[in-house]
């Protein structure tokens, strides 16, 4: 509900349990952009390169494959796809991210995330 308030996205499937029960999901689901925004917290748990600064450079793709039911638990898997030196001391890193939902076969999200690192 706080995410809905912050983003002003109050679609019933996210905030109205009674109305959401009548959908194929059987209840409320998390905003896809909430799941996407959790990538930052998941990335903080990983070992970071020894650089002066890293910035989010964007995404090549983002796909929301399966909804995360309210109260669901997620975890991220990160796979290095590419690390390219763009200029001396500046590296572009592309990572494949899969967000899994506990107890579900299909992931919630698949993305290619790009970072720029500065030595």
């Amino acid at each position: 509900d706080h995410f809905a308030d912050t983003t002003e996205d109050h679609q019933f499937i996210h905030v109205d349990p009674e109305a959401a029960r009548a959908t194929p999901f059987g209840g409320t689901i998390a905003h896809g952009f909430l799941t996407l925004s959790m990538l930052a917290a998941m990335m903080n748990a990983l070992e970071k390169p020894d650089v002066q600064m890293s910035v989010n450079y964007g995404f090549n793709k983002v796909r929301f494959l399966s909804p995360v039911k309210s109260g669901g638990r997620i975890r991220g898997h990160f796979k290095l796809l590419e690390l390219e030196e763009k200029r001396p001391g500046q590296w572009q890193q592309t990572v494949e991210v899969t967000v899994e939902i506990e107890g579900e076969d299909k992931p919630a999200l698949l993305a290619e995330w790009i970072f720029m690192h500065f030595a």
Side-chain angles (χ1 to χ4, degrees):
D1 289 345
H2 293 296
F3 191 85
D5 291 341
T6 300
T7 60
E8 298 183 12
D9 180 357
H10 293 93
Q11 183 182 23
F12 80 93
I13 194 67
H14 304 302
V15 298
D16 186 340
E18 187 174 318
R21 270 193 288 281
T23 71
F25 304 122
T28 54
I29 60 172
H31 291 76
F33 284 122
L34 173 58
T35 304
L36 183 66
S37 69
M38 294 304 297
L39 295 183
M42 292 176 198
M43 183 61 90
N44 283 336
L46 299 177
E47 186 176 324
K48 295 183 181 52
D50 186 21
V51 295
Q52 186 177 56
M53 176 180 65
S54 296
V55 295
N56 179 356
Y57 198 61
F59 292 86
N60 283 332
K61 70 177 183 180
V62 175
R63 297 291 182 268
F64 300 106
L65 302 174
S66 187
V68 178
K69 294 179 180 173
S70 293
R73 292 169 38 105
I74 58 173
R75 69 176 175 189
H77 287 272
F78 296 80
K79 177 182 170 187
L80 177 65
L81 296 179
E82 185 176 33
L83 185 61
E84 178 183 357
E85 189 172 24
K86 291 298 198 175
R87 40 180 87 109
Q90 183 179 340
W91 294 83
Q92 182 174 307
Q93 177 185 32
T94 305
V95 178
E96 178 183 83
V97 184
T98 304
V99 176
E100 296 179 342
I101 308 167
E102 185 176 60
E104 300 286 335
D105 293 330
K106 194 172 181 183
L109 181 147
L110 179 63
E112 283 185 13
W113 194 5
I114 308 167
F115 298 90
M116 197 64 70
H117 303 293
F118 300 88

